[in-house]
Amino acid sequence: MFSRNARGLLDFSLVLLCVWTAWHHTPAGALVRRTAAWAFGGRSTARPVLAYYKGVSGSGVSAPALAPVAPPLRPFNDSEALAYGTHLALKGLSPAARAPALELAEELGVAPASLLDEARGPSAARRLHEALAESFPQEESRLTAVFAGRVPARYAVERVAAEGGTPNLERLARQLPPGFEDSTVAAAQALALATAFGLAWPVPEHTPVTSPFGYRLHPVLGTRKLHTGVDLSVRVGTEVHAVSDATVRRASEDGVNGRVLILDHGRGVTTAYCHNSELLVRPGQRVTRGELIARSGNTGRSTGPHLHYQLELSSQPVDPLRFRPRSNSVVDGSAR
């Protein structure tokens, strides 16, 4: 089919492609790049080797590890949620990766150390966003400026605009120079955290939590397993509402989750609603915050009527109670 010369050229091209892939997208390539950077005193853009095996960020910090230690005292507005998410993402970065943000803070008159302080961090991050708002009016371009610095962010915004695209994090990340991988991951984490802080609750606020997030003795299997959501004690037929605008990614039934819905809220945030008696939406459908999406039940692997509500950031489950204002939380000691 091909001449000998053409086959030789094709084979050579495939070899080059394999070498490039191994260099940039395998643990071995990452290890070699890190070692070479250390040996010659340069800086490597390779992800940590463990990032190839685990769901971790470029800075080696998983999304669940960035969740707040305690839930907020009151509901956040959009700017407060973004500031708190920025503070948490900064704390998760290595000292080298957070350097651009701290330098920018000092330049704009915000004490760099306050950004990492548990008590002052959210308000300091909010002042940083306010100082950048005129130059970077869109949230995602502003986050890029916070984590990567103003000059790289401005360049990325201008390049995206020249191509006629919307300056979202994905497009901006492609336009940043090499070496800003941790910055773009942290910006995405901050945006996901901010989105999680803005979620509503799927059932009435006073509903007791009968089984919280975390490891427990499974009530059916009798083994110690991670409970990846919270169980909310509601009667069969209780209305279940979307906690924010979303696209329905799954509306199906299985032997474990029963009748289950999964909603995609964008920005790496999804929520799941399990054990329902009735599903009222279909895959691909757009739903709005507060919209009736299901009626609770006792389907699947369940010991009694309840709703299992699950929150995931970057495909990793986190405790939804950490993002819910304390004044709204009701916890019951019994398990489901």
Side-chain angles (χ1 to χ4, degrees):
M1 182 176 178
F2 295 103
S3 67
R4 180 175 299 177
N5 289 338
R7 285 200 303 270
L9 181 60
L10 180 60
D11 291 342
F12 180 71
S13 300
L14 289 174
V15 169
L16 288 180
L17 179 61
C18 290
V19 170
W20 179 87
T21 301
W23 180 255
H24 288 281
H25 299 287
T26 67
L31 186 59
V32 172
R33 290 164 68 195
R34 291 281 184 183
T35 303
W38 172 81
F40 295 102
R43 180 178 179 182
S44 171
T45 60
R47 296 187 299 165
V49 175
L50 286 179
Y52 291 89
Y53 300 105
K54 295 182 178 180
V56 299
S57 72
S59 59
V61 180
S62 66
L66 297 176
V69 175
L73 294 173
R74 58 177 177 77
F76 289 142
N77 60 35
D78 290 346
S79 61
E80 290 172 330
L82 187 64
Y84 202 174
T86 300
H87 158 68
L88 292 173
L90 277 171
K91 287 183 65 177
L93 285 173
S94 67
R98 70 168 71 110
L102 300 186
E103 292 171 5
L104 178 63
E106 188 168 18
E107 180 184 334
L108 296 175
V110 178
S114 65
L115 285 170
L116 307 176
D117 183 77
E118 191 70 36
R120 298 178 296 159
S123 59
R126 187 175 183 180
R127 293 197 302 274
L128 193 58
H129 277 280
E130 290 171 349
L132 291 167
E134 185 175 350
S135 300
F136 300 92
Q138 296 92 358
E139 279 186 353
E140 299 186 35
S141 61
R142 193 159 64 250
L143 280 170
T144 302
V146 168
F147 289 98
R150 279 200 290 190
V151 174
R154 174 56 61 196
Y155 172 81
V157 169
E158 290 174 353
R159 289 295 305 156
V160 171
E163 294 177 354
T166 304
N168 58 35
L169 283 179
E170 184 180 358
R171 291 192 177 98
L172 292 169
R174 289 201 296 264
Q175 299 298 339
L176 287 173
F180 286 97
E181 289 77 11
D182 286 352
S183 300
T184 56
V185 168
Q189 289 174 333
L191 201 58
L193 290 164
T195 303
F197 280 119
L199 300 178
W201 205 237
V203 290
E205 293 286 353
H206 63 271
T207 303
V209 176
T210 55
S211 187
F213 180 94
Y215 281 94
R216 65 172 185 175
L217 188 65
H218 196 282
V220 176
L221 302 177
T223 57
R224 189 170 182 269
K225 293 179 67 68
L226 175 65
H227 188 223
T228 54
V230 294
D231 288 348
L232 305 171
S233 179
V234 288
R235 296 179 178 179
V236 173
T238 299
E239 292 186 348
V240 179
H241 299 270
V243 295
S244 187
D245 296 353
T247 299
V248 180
R249 292 302 180 206
R250 178 181 171 189
S252 60
E253 182 174 5
D254 61 60
V256 176
N257 300 302
R259 294 190 176 100
V260 56
L261 286 175
I262 296 180
L263 303 187
D264 184 349
H265 305 279
R267 298 178 168 182
V269 179
T270 61
T271 52
Y273 313 75
C274 305
H275 309 301
N276 299 287
S277 61
E278 185 180 7
L279 305 181
L280 304 175
V281 293
R282 62 186 182 279
Q285 181 177 336
R286 286 289 300 173
V287 296
T288 57
R289 182 186 181 96
E291 183 175 337
L292 178 62
I293 56 175
R295 296 189 186 276
S296 67
N298 189 30
T299 58
R301 187 183 291 164
S302 171
T303 61
H306 73 286
L307 173 71
H308 173 93
Y309 171 59
Q310 185 165 317
L311 168 63
E312 292 193 358
L313 304 184
S314 303
S315 301
Q316 298 180 72
V318 296
D319 186 354
L321 290 179
R322 290 196 185 185
F323 297 89
R324 188 182 181 215
R326 296 183 201 179
S327 57
N328 296 338
S329 300
V330 180
V331 179
D332 187 322
S334 59
R336 287 288 182 191

